[in-house]
Each structure stands twice: as C-alpha cells, then as structure tokens.
Amino acid sequence: EILKYIVQHLDRELSVDVLAKQFYLSRYYLMHRFKAVTGYTVHQYISQKRLLWAGELIRSGVPVMKAAEQAGFSEYSTFLRAFQNTFHMSPREFR
C-alpha cells in the first residue's frame, strides 16, 4: 500500500513523517520495514521514482523544468544533480 501511495502522489510532499502519519505507523518502524522489504531507504525510493517519472515526461516532450516540477522536485538544481548522477547525462541529452 505504501509503494502504491508513493507512486500515486509523487507530485506532493513525501517524507517519512508524511507517510508515517498517513499509514498510522511510527516513523522509525516505517523506515526499518521499508528498507527491509525494498532494500531502499524511503528517500532513495521516492527519488528514483521521481527521476524515472521526470525522464518519461522529458521523453514525451515536456520541457525539462516543467518535468522536474511535475515530478515533485522543488529545486531545479537538486533535480539536475540527481538526474545526472542517475542517468549519467543531462536531461537534454536524455531526450
């Protein structure tokens, strides 16, 4: 349920605290179980899902800054750094 919620709400604030409150769990239990089940931290998982979504948007013709915003990145510089670290190219080259 948590994974589905994350994917459906990538454009909103998704923090451990928000998820813990939404699913009535302690933040520490959520972090521990999430890592045990997925192999990723909550933050890593959300970042990867947002980057993949932004990549899809860019490939479909959405301008890079708009794609970053729609995928839930509030800071373009954060998006750009994460995108380049993940895909080893700039968003423009990714097109």
Side-chain angles (χ1 to χ4, degrees):
E1 289 298 312
I2 294 172
L3 299 178
K4 187 169 30 170
Y5 181 87
I6 289 171
V7 170
Q8 292 172 347
H9 297 91
L10 286 173
D11 58 339
R12 299 187 187 156
E13 180 190 347
L14 290 173
S15 65
V16 172
D17 291 329
V18 167
L19 293 171
K21 187 180 284 188
Q22 177 70 29
F23 290 95
Y24 305 101
L25 299 169
S26 85
R27 68 186 316 269
Y28 302 104
Y29 179 77
L30 172 63
M31 290 187 301
H32 175 74
R33 289 296 300 152
F34 195 93
K35 174 83 176 193
V37 171
T38 67
Y40 296 98
T41 66
V42 174
H43 178 74
Q44 287 172 330
Y45 184 83
I46 292 169
S47 292
Q48 288 301 311
K49 289 296 181 185
R50 283 183 169 160
L51 287 167
L52 290 171
W53 185 28
E56 289 177 27
L57 292 170
I58 291 166
R59 284 221 166 123
S60 71
V62 175
V64 174
M65 289 187 74
K66 190 72 157 170
E69 183 182 308
Q70 287 179 2
F73 288 92
S74 57
E75 297 288 327
Y76 181 73
S77 60
T78 303
F79 164 74
L80 188 57
R81 190 170 38 257
F83 194 95
Q84 289 175 329
N85 285 338
T86 300
F87 296 110
H88 306 291
M89 64 180 72
S90 73
R92 284 195 167 70
E93 294 171 320
F94 187 78
R95 273 180 202 214

